[in-house]
């Protein structure tokens, strides 16, 4: 089940973050800062978590600035790789981008994360450039990808129940 990320999710999200991205994990403070902009009339972010049997197994977040959305993060517990959870999270983020009236969505992906790149390509994202040394401290390049008109990528997808 997907639901809105709340403050009490920060610790389990942080633990999954450290497990999946040991070299360049976000800090707790970064998640707190993102959530501070995710509620209310002026919200510019949408963060969701996925739970299974009461355990957090994935999360994702998007920021909207003007008519551009940016997927900030998507993470799926290793035991759930290949289950479609990443696609479910991405679908929800693209729905949020559409609700924010974003004309396009950008994201950065490690150049060595082929699994994620294939997911994004299935949704219509196209490579548009690189950010050299983006992921630190490992000095790994990021592939920048763009999806024009995110509303077309979520049309026809089945509704996912979001509680929040």
């Amino acid at each position: 089940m997907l639901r809105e990320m709340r403050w009490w999710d920060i610790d389990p999200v942080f633990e999954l973050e450290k497990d999946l991205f040991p070299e360049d994990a976000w800090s707790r403070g970064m998640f707190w800062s993102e959530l501070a902009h995710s509620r209310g009339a002026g919200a510019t972010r949408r963060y969701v978590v996925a739970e299974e049997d009461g355990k957090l197994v994935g999360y994702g977040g998007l920021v909207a600035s003007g008519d551009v959305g940016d997927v900030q993060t998507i993470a799926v517990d290793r035991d759930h790789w290949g289950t479609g959870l990443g696609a479910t999270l991405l679908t929800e983020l693209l729905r949020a981008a559409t609700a924010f009236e974003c004309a396009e969505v950008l994201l950065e992906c490690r150049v060595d994360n082929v699994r994620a790149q294939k997911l994004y390509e299935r949704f219509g994202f196209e490579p548009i450039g690189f950010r050299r040394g983006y992921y630190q401290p490992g000095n790994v390049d990021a592939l920048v990808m763009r999806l024009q008109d995110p509303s077309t990528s979520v049309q026809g997808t089945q509704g996912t129940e979001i509680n929040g």
Side-chain angles (χ1 to χ4, degrees):
M1 172 184 89
L2 291 187
R3 64 171 173 77
E4 179 182 6
M5 185 188 294
R6 301 300 301 272
W7 66 266
W8 52 82
D9 296 311
I10 290 176
D11 282 345
V13 163
F14 181 65
E15 292 305 313
L16 184 55
E17 176 84 0
K18 286 190 311 185
D19 179 52
L20 294 172
F21 311 110
E23 285 191 353
D24 47 18
W26 282 20
S27 67
R28 281 184 180 89
M30 290 171 76
F31 285 108
W32 275 104
S33 178
E34 289 297 294
L35 288 186
H37 300 284
S38 68
R39 299 197 68 145
T44 57
R45 278 129 173 106
R46 174 75 169 148
Y47 277 78
V48 295
V49 294
E51 289 183 317
E52 183 177 278
D53 299 325
K55 180 184 180 218
L56 190 133
V57 295
Y59 58 91
L62 174 122
V63 61
S65 179
D67 65 350
V68 178
D70 194 334
V71 173
Q72 297 291 290
T73 186
I74 291 183
V76 174
D77 181 272
R78 285 183 180 86
D79 292 341
H80 290 79
W81 286 3
T83 66
L85 181 55
T88 300
L89 288 162
L90 183 56
T91 297
E92 177 55 27
L93 297 180
L94 295 178
R95 283 190 183 123
T98 301
F100 282 128
E101 299 181 355
C102 296
E104 65 180 3
V105 175
L106 301 171
L107 59 80
E108 291 87 16
C109 180
R110 288 176 63 107
V111 293
D112 57 0
N113 191 344
V114 176
R115 173 189 294 271
Q117 291 170 33
K118 289 184 182 300
L119 169 66
Y120 302 138
E121 288 169 358
R122 284 199 328 258
F123 277 76
F125 281 86
E126 297 177 343
I128 60 168
F130 294 93
R131 295 188 195 276
R132 302 287 176 210
Y134 183 79
Y135 294 99
Q136 293 296 329
N139 202 37
V140 177
D141 295 345
L143 175 65
V144 181
M145 301 181 81
R146 176 178 60 205
L147 173 66
Q148 297 192 33
D149 193 5
S151 66
T152 61
S153 290
V154 295
Q155 289 176 353
T157 57
Q158 291 186 335
T160 304
E161 181 179 332
I162 302 291
N163 298 320

